[in-house]
mmCIF file of all heavy atoms in Angstrom:
data_model
loop_
_atom_site.group_PDB
_atom_site.id
_atom_site.type_symbol
_atom_site.label_atom_id
_atom_site.label_comp_id
_atom_site.label_asym_id
_atom_site.label_seq_id
_atom_site.Cartn_x
_atom_site.Cartn_y
_atom_site.Cartn_z
ATOM 1 N N MET F 1255 69.258 55.708 128.195
ATOM 2 C CA MET F 1255 69.555 56.523 127.011
ATOM 3 C C MET F 1255 70.054 57.899 127.411
ATOM 4 O O MET F 1255 69.695 58.432 128.444
ATOM 5 C CB MET F 1255 68.293 56.660 126.145
ATOM 6 C CG MET F 1255 68.388 55.755 124.928
ATOM 7 S SD MET F 1255 67.277 56.280 123.637
ATOM 8 C CE MET F 1255 65.705 55.693 124.247
ATOM 9 N N LYS F 1256 70.878 58.456 126.533
ATOM 10 C CA LYS F 1256 71.490 59.752 126.812
ATOM 11 C C LYS F 1256 70.445 60.871 126.862
ATOM 12 O O LYS F 1256 69.497 60.888 126.086
ATOM 13 C CB LYS F 1256 72.495 60.065 125.694
ATOM 14 C CG LYS F 1256 73.893 60.279 126.230
ATOM 15 C CD LYS F 1256 74.946 60.304 125.137
ATOM 16 C CE LYS F 1256 74.731 61.372 124.075
ATOM 17 N NZ LYS F 1256 75.792 61.291 123.032
ATOM 18 N N THR F 1257 70.640 61.790 127.757
ATOM 19 C CA THR F 1257 69.784 62.974 127.791
ATOM 20 C C THR F 1257 70.374 64.018 126.845
ATOM 21 O O THR F 1257 71.546 64.343 126.939
ATOM 22 C CB THR F 1257 69.746 63.558 129.218
ATOM 23 O OG1 THR F 1257 69.276 62.554 130.092
ATOM 24 C CG2 THR F 1257 68.850 64.770 129.272
ATOM 25 N N VAL F 1258 69.551 64.485 125.886
ATOM 26 C CA VAL F 1258 70.076 65.506 124.972
ATOM 27 C C VAL F 1258 69.663 66.901 125.414
ATOM 28 O O VAL F 1258 70.361 67.862 125.191
ATOM 29 C CB VAL F 1258 69.659 65.278 123.496
ATOM 30 C CG1 VAL F 1258 70.381 64.079 122.923
ATOM 31 C CG2 VAL F 1258 68.173 65.140 123.364
ATOM 32 N N LEU F 1259 68.503 66.969 126.057
ATOM 33 C CA LEU F 1259 68.029 68.298 126.479
ATOM 34 C C LEU F 1259 67.580 68.226 127.922
ATOM 35 O O LEU F 1259 66.886 67.290 128.327
ATOM 36 C CB LEU F 1259 66.861 68.742 125.585
ATOM 37 C CG LEU F 1259 66.200 70.058 125.997
ATOM 38 C CD1 LEU F 1259 67.080 71.230 125.609
ATOM 39 C CD2 LEU F 1259 64.829 70.191 125.356
ATOM 40 N N GLN F 1282 62.946 67.257 130.209
ATOM 41 C CA GLN F 1282 64.075 66.481 129.685
ATOM 42 C C GLN F 1282 63.694 65.784 128.397
ATOM 43 O O GLN F 1282 62.569 65.332 128.241
ATOM 44 C CB GLN F 1282 64.475 65.410 130.708
ATOM 45 C CG GLN F 1282 65.733 65.735 131.437
ATOM 46 C CD GLN F 1282 66.239 64.555 132.233
ATOM 47 O OE1 GLN F 1282 65.702 63.449 132.133
ATOM 48 N NE2 GLN F 1282 67.265 64.790 133.036
ATOM 49 N N ILE F 1283 64.625 65.695 127.487
ATOM 50 C CA ILE F 1283 64.408 64.910 126.271
ATOM 51 C C ILE F 1283 65.603 63.987 126.101
ATOM 52 O O ILE F 1283 66.751 64.389 126.304
ATOM 53 C CB ILE F 1283 64.271 65.816 125.029
ATOM 54 C CG1 ILE F 1283 62.998 66.663 125.124
ATOM 55 C CG2 ILE F 1283 64.223 64.974 123.753
ATOM 56 C CD1 ILE F 1283 62.865 67.671 124.022
ATOM 57 N N LYS F 1284 65.303 62.715 125.769
ATOM 58 C CA LYS F 1284 66.386 61.744 125.596
ATOM 59 C C LYS F 1284 66.681 61.562 124.118
ATOM 60 O O LYS F 1284 65.891 61.924 123.244
ATOM 61 C CB LYS F 1284 65.973 60.401 126.222
ATOM 62 C CG LYS F 1284 65.709 60.493 127.711
ATOM 63 C CD LYS F 1284 66.632 59.551 128.459
ATOM 64 C CE LYS F 1284 66.299 59.437 129.943
ATOM 65 N NZ LYS F 1284 66.552 60.663 130.678
ATOM 66 N N GLN F 1285 67.818 60.983 123.880
ATOM 67 C CA GLN F 1285 68.254 60.773 122.501
ATOM 68 C C GLN F 1285 67.245 59.946 121.715
ATOM 69 O O GLN F 1285 66.746 58.940 122.199
ATOM 70 C CB GLN F 1285 69.609 60.053 122.504
ATOM 71 C CG GLN F 1285 70.214 59.958 121.117
ATOM 72 C CD GLN F 1285 71.563 59.292 121.166
ATOM 73 O OE1 GLN F 1285 71.863 58.528 122.074
ATOM 74 N NE2 GLN F 1285 72.381 59.577 120.169
ATOM 75 N N GLY F 1286 66.942 60.411 120.503
ATOM 76 C CA GLY F 1286 66.078 59.655 119.613
ATOM 77 C C GLY F 1286 64.595 59.826 119.867
ATOM 78 O O GLY F 1286 63.776 59.273 119.129
ATOM 79 N N GLU F 1287 64.216 60.569 120.859
ATOM 80 C CA GLU F 1287 62.791 60.759 121.149
ATOM 81 C C GLU F 1287 62.149 61.682 120.131
ATOM 82 O O GLU F 1287 62.757 62.651 119.687
ATOM 83 C CB GLU F 1287 62.614 61.359 122.549
ATOM 84 C CG GLU F 1287 62.762 60.341 123.658
ATOM 85 C CD GLU F 1287 62.482 60.953 125.021
ATOM 86 O OE1 GLU F 1287 62.617 62.179 125.184
ATOM 87 O OE2 GLU F 1287 62.132 60.185 125.916
ATOM 88 N N HIS F 1288 60.905 61.370 119.789
ATOM 89 C CA HIS F 1288 60.135 62.226 118.874
ATOM 90 C C HIS F 1288 58.994 62.838 119.653
ATOM 91 O O HIS F 1288 58.099 62.143 120.100
ATOM 92 C CB HIS F 1288 59.581 61.406 117.703
ATOM 93 C CG HIS F 1288 60.654 60.839 116.828
ATOM 94 N ND1 HIS F 1288 60.396 59.983 115.785
ATOM 95 C CD2 HIS F 1288 62.000 61.015 116.832
ATOM 96 C CE1 HIS F 1288 61.529 59.649 115.192
ATOM 97 N NE2 HIS F 1288 62.507 60.251 115.821
ATOM 98 N N ILE F 1289 59.062 64.128 119.829
ATOM 99 C CA ILE F 1289 58.076 64.787 120.688
ATOM 100 C C ILE F 1289 57.133 65.648 119.879
ATOM 101 O O ILE F 1289 57.572 66.435 119.030
ATOM 102 C CB ILE F 1289 58.804 65.644 121.734
ATOM 103 C CG1 ILE F 1289 59.726 64.705 122.491
ATOM 104 C CG2 ILE F 1289 57.806 66.383 122.624
ATOM 105 C CD1 ILE F 1289 60.296 65.166 123.713
ATOM 106 N N GLN F 1417 72.019 66.640 116.722
ATOM 107 C CA GLN F 1417 71.417 65.739 117.705
ATOM 108 C C GLN F 1417 69.958 66.099 117.964
ATOM 109 O O GLN F 1417 69.178 65.273 118.400
ATOM 110 C CB GLN F 1417 72.208 65.794 119.020
ATOM 111 C CG GLN F 1417 73.559 65.098 118.956
ATOM 112 C CD GLN F 1417 74.646 65.982 118.342
ATOM 113 O OE1 GLN F 1417 74.364 67.057 117.830
ATOM 114 N NE2 GLN F 1417 75.878 65.493 118.383
ATOM 115 N N GLN F 1448 70.162 59.162 114.870
ATOM 116 C CA GLN F 1448 69.529 59.049 116.193
ATOM 117 C C GLN F 1448 69.188 60.429 116.751
ATOM 118 O O GLN F 1448 69.366 60.711 117.936
ATOM 119 C CB GLN F 1448 70.473 58.328 117.159
ATOM 120 C CG GLN F 1448 70.505 56.837 116.929
ATOM 121 C CD GLN F 1448 69.914 56.102 118.103
ATOM 122 O OE1 GLN F 1448 70.438 56.143 119.216
ATOM 123 N NE2 GLN F 1448 68.773 55.440 117.885
ATOM 124 N N SER F 1449 68.742 61.337 115.866
ATOM 125 C CA SER F 1449 68.410 62.681 116.315
ATOM 126 C C SER F 1449 67.078 62.681 117.045
ATOM 127 O O SER F 1449 66.164 61.939 116.688
ATOM 128 C CB SER F 1449 68.296 63.630 115.121
ATOM 129 O OG SER F 1449 69.405 63.493 114.275
ATOM 130 N N SER F 1450 66.992 63.541 118.049
ATOM 131 C CA SER F 1450 65.707 63.760 118.707
ATOM 132 C C SER F 1450 64.953 64.808 117.904
ATOM 133 O O SER F 1450 65.566 65.683 117.297
ATOM 134 C CB SER F 1450 65.911 64.291 120.119
ATOM 135 O OG SER F 1450 66.862 63.504 120.781
ATOM 136 N N ILE F 1451 63.614 64.701 117.906
ATOM 137 C CA ILE F 1451 62.820 65.657 117.143
ATOM 138 C C ILE F 1451 61.824 66.356 118.064
ATOM 139 O O ILE F 1451 61.110 65.701 118.834
ATOM 140 C CB ILE F 1451 62.039 64.958 116.001
ATOM 141 C CG1 ILE F 1451 63.029 64.292 115.027
ATOM 142 C CG2 ILE F 1451 61.157 65.956 115.261
ATOM 143 C CD1 ILE F 1451 62.349 63.506 113.928
ATOM 144 N N GLN F 1466 55.549 60.634 121.820
ATOM 145 C CA GLN F 1466 55.269 61.480 122.986
ATOM 146 C C GLN F 1466 54.497 62.702 122.574
ATOM 147 O O GLN F 1466 54.866 63.359 121.609
ATOM 148 C CB GLN F 1466 56.582 61.954 123.597
ATOM 149 C CG GLN F 1466 57.227 60.952 124.477
ATOM 150 C CD GLN F 1466 58.384 61.615 125.184
ATOM 151 O OE1 GLN F 1466 58.224 62.674 125.786
ATOM 152 N NE2 GLN F 1466 59.532 60.995 125.094
ATOM 153 N N ALA F 1481 58.677 63.310 131.915
ATOM 154 C CA ALA F 1481 59.643 62.443 131.243
ATOM 155 C C ALA F 1481 58.987 61.114 130.989
ATOM 156 O O ALA F 1481 58.155 60.665 131.748
ATOM 157 C CB ALA F 1481 60.878 62.252 132.106
ATOM 158 N N ALA F 1482 59.383 60.512 129.922
ATOM 159 C CA ALA F 1482 58.784 59.225 129.585
ATOM 160 C C ALA F 1482 59.492 58.104 130.310
ATOM 161 O O ALA F 1482 60.662 58.215 130.611
ATOM 162 C CB ALA F 1482 58.871 59.010 128.081
#
Side-chain angles (χ1 to χ4, degrees):
Chain F
M1255 256 200 283
K1256 238 168 58 182
T1257 302
V1258 289
L1259 175 75
Q1282 255 191 7
I1283 294 174
K1284 299 239 188 292
Q1285 187 178 24
E1287 282 184 336
H1288 295 175
I1289 303 194
Q1417 287 82 352
Q1448 283 247 296
S1449 311
S1450 312
I1451 299 176
Q1466 279 189 52

